Amino acid sequence: MIKANDPTLKSWIEVDENCDFPIQNLPFGIFKTQSSSPRVGVAIGDQVLDLAVLNKLGYLNNLKIDNSVFINQYLNDLMALGKPTCSSLRQRISDLLNENSAELRDNKEAREKALQYISNVQMLMPVRVGDYTDFYSSIDHATNVGTMFRDPANALLPNWKHLPVGYHGRASSIIISGTNFHRPKGQTKSADAEVPVFGPCKSLDFELEVAFVIGKPTSLGESVSTADADDYIFGLALFNDWSARDIQTWEYVPLGPFLAKNFASTVSPWIVTLEALEPFRTAGYTQEPKVLPYLEYAGDKNIDIKLEVSIQPENSTETAICHSNYKFMYWTMEQQLAHHTVNGCNINIGDMMASGTISGPTPNSFGSMLELSWKGTKPLKLNDGRERKFINDNDTVIMRGYCKKDKVRIGFGEARGKVLPAL
Ligand code: CA
C-alpha cells in the first residue's frame, strides 16, 4: 500500500498532466446518469468511479459501509462516518486505481460498470447545506472595498484585524455549477436620487471564493480550537458568491448583506478533501497586531491554490480576467472555525463556510468586478473587444482552481454560472 498523497503514484487510468483529477486527488461528488439514481462518485482523470457499484461488487468490503451511504443524494451520510473511515475509503480507492493493482484493472466487466465518463453524467449538489456562513477574510479585498467606499487612510474597520468578520448567509440558493439563474431584481437608490426605484440589478458581480464543508458536528455550547479545527473540515470547493452591488449599497445599512447576496451562489461539484490538500499548505500573513489567544494557531495553515476567473459572453470566447490565490487569505479556515464556535454556536455536517472574496495584492488578482473595474471606473477589455464593468445578461462566469507541486496537480474542476435576463 502506497499512501494516497504520494506524488509518485500513477493510475492505470490515463490522466493528462493538465487534468484536475489525478490519483492523488480523488475528490467526492454526487452524480446521476439517465438510468441511475443519485450516487457518490470519485473523479479520476476524465471519469467518475461509482462507489455504489464498487461497494455492491465487493471491492469496499473491508470498510463495511452500507450501500445507502453511496446511493444517496448527498455526501452528508458519508461524511458522518467520520474522517478515519473516509480516509480509509480514499486509501482503498487509491489502491484499487494504482497502476500496479490488478483487482479492478483486469476485471473488464466490473470496470465497465463502475466507471463513467464525467461528460456523460450529471453532477448534482454534493452536500445538503444546512447553514451557510460567508467570511470577509482577504485583507486586499477588505482594503480595496474600504478604500473605494470609505477612507483610503483607514480602509480597514477597527475590528478587522482582531476577528474574522462574517455573516450568516442563506443555504437555499446555493446552486451547483452549470445552473443558470435570472438577474435579480430589487430596490436601488442612486446617490443623487430622493427615493429608491425597483428593477433589475444594474451592477451584478461575482465574488471569487473558496468554501469549506463541515464533516463533523458540535453540540450547542461547544467550541472548536484552531488546533482541532481540521478534524471538522471535510474538504473544499470553489464558490461564486454572486452579488448585486447596487442592491447591496442601498440595503446593507445597518445589518449587512441580505437580498444582494441570497439570489444565487454557485458551488463546484467536487469536494476536494482537506487530506488531498495537505501537501500544499503554506505560510500565511504575519498577523499584526497579535490576535487573542483563541485565534492563535501553529504551523502553516494557508493553502496554495491558484485561482482563476473567466468571463464568456454569449456566442464568444472566454477571457481570463483574474488570477488570484487562496494563500492570500489573512484569516485561515482554522481561525474562522474557532471564531465561529467560540460563543458556543454549534455546527452541523454539510455546513458550508465561504472565505469571502479572495483578492491578491496586484490589480489582476482582484476577486470581483467591483475591484477589477474599480467601481465601474475602469472597464475591462475582453478578448472579443467588448468591455465589461459588471456582468451582463447571458454572460457565463467560470471559476477554476488547482494546486501544483512535484508535478502533481490537485484541481477543483469548475464553478460555472450563466446570468439570464431578469424575469
Ligand atoms: Ca462574499
Side-chain angles (χ1 to χ4, degrees), residues 132 134-136 141 167 207 209 239 241 243 261 354-357:
Y132 156 51
D134 192 21
F135 286 95
Y136 188 57
H141 173 66
Y167 71 95
E207 290 190 337
E209 305 198 19
F239 196 89
D241 183 28
S243 299
K261 297 281 188 175
S355 54
T357 308

